[in-house]
Amino acid sequence: MPLYIVGAGVSSEYLTLRALQLIGAADKVYIDVYTSIAPGVDRELVRRLNPRAEIVEATRRMLEDEAWRLVEEARERSVVLLVPGDPLHATTHVALLLEARRRGVEAHAVPGVSGLQAAVDATGLQVYRFGKTVTLVYPEEGFKPYSTVETIWANQERGLHTLVLLDLRLDEGRAMAVPEAVSILLELEKELARETGREPQIRSALLAGVARAGTSEQRCVAGTPEEVASASYPPPPHSLVVTAPRLHPMEEEALRLLCGCRSCGRR
């Protein structure tokens, strides 16, 4: 029997027809509660779509340390792993797909609406002007994610925007929000600039904070770091965009009209 890694989209509003068909026909449905958040994608939803299916919330341990168990189940039963967003944007799911292929188990990835693209769309910025995407993780004792700042600086030097994904530690009940992310980024940049002698760039850039992109609760706020950090947002998932030093006039208008930017055109 096959294993289907199914993208649930950015919320339950975005389940594709193919996703609905596979969930309805599955013997067992795992719901990924580790890699991201898709509002409304939960046990209740799956139970409505398939009352006979066994439903399991898949933790980090299940998806990474014990992925082989899930793969082996698919030899005998139709198994669906329901993933927030698009199924192969997380290396966890790519590894699962490869593990199934290595073991000779039929496995398929079913695309869903990407949260990354939804965040870009929320800003109205031109997608081909984005550089390398980066994740901002929580600093810990003995570790600070300076590489995030370095990636943003590199994109800035090339005249590119940066999509910054924010840390989710759902097993710990933590999900980084835009105001917290701005504070962490500015502090990291301050420290790195002091150590390297380089000029800070993020503190003078226009930012866009995006919450629940693509859903009915979507909110985008653009402006200075202070303006973005002081705004209110619905609950995570959140993401942050650090814009390029120069914006196309259409991008400035998009940030004004879509994200309420009051600082656009003033730099």
Side-chain angles (χ1 to χ4, degrees), residues 20-235:
L20 293 172
Q21 292 171 337
L22 292 172
I23 294 168
D27 297 314
K28 189 169 186 177
V29 177
Y30 286 90
I31 304 171
D32 176 356
V33 295
Y34 161 53
T35 58
S36 191
I37 300 169
V41 178
D42 52 23
R43 282 179 174 272
E44 182 181 349
L45 172 70
V46 175
R47 193 173 291 113
R48 290 202 308 269
L49 296 174
N50 186 344
R52 67 176 182 79
E54 181 182 351
I55 305 170
V56 176
E57 292 185 345
T59 62
R60 177 177 183 175
R61 177 178 58 80
M62 291 181 186
L63 294 178
E64 293 191 347
D65 300 337
E66 300 179 0
W68 63 271
R69 294 183 186 275
L70 194 153
V71 170
E72 289 299 321
E73 274 190 291
R75 291 189 189 276
E76 306 295 334
R77 311 171 73 186
S78 177
V79 176
V80 165
L81 171 61
L82 196 55
V83 176
D86 190 76
L88 298 186
H89 278 183
T91 55
T92 295
H93 308 125
V94 176
L96 181 62
L97 181 64
L98 297 180
E99 179 70 13
R101 295 293 174 87
R102 282 194 293 266
R103 290 174 176 265
V105 174
E106 183 181 355
H108 306 276
V110 179
V113 177
S114 164
L116 279 69
Q117 186 58 53
V120 171
D121 290 350
T123 67
L125 295 171
Q126 296 169 4
V127 67
Y128 59 83
R129 293 199 63 207
F130 277 78
K132 181 181 178 181
T133 297
V134 69
T135 298
L136 176 63
V137 300
Y138 286 107
E140 299 176 356
E141 186 176 351
F143 168 75
K144 293 193 176 182
Y146 292 124
S147 61
T148 300
V149 174
E150 292 170 337
T151 298
I152 295 171
W153 283 356
N155 284 341
Q156 290 269 302
E157 289 168 1
R158 297 172 61 200
L160 301 174
H161 311 308
T162 307
L163 174 60
V164 184
L165 307 179
L166 306 186
D167 201 359
L168 289 172
R169 303 192 182 184
L170 303 180
D171 54 340
E172 301 174 11
R174 302 172 73 190
M176 190 181 294
V178 166
E180 185 179 18
V182 173
S183 176
I184 291 172
L185 264 185
L186 292 180
E187 182 60 28
L188 290 171
E189 182 181 55
K190 180 180 177 182
E191 295 172 1
L192 191 59
R194 186 169 56 242
E195 290 179 9
T196 62
R198 297 184 60 177
E199 188 70 24
Q201 297 179 50
I202 301 171
R203 72 180 184 188
S204 59
L206 283 175
L207 308 184
V210 183
R212 298 212 162 195
T215 75
S216 57
E217 297 178 280
Q218 174 180 297
R219 178 161 169 74
C220 176
V221 178
T224 66
E226 293 75 17
E227 290 170 336
V228 171
S230 63
S232 60
Y233 301 87

Side-chain angles (χ1 to χ4, degrees), residues 238-251:
H238 289 187
S239 54
L240 186 68
V241 174
V242 180
T243 68
R246 295 181 183 177
L247 297 177
H248 186 280
M250 185 179 291
E251 291 183 309

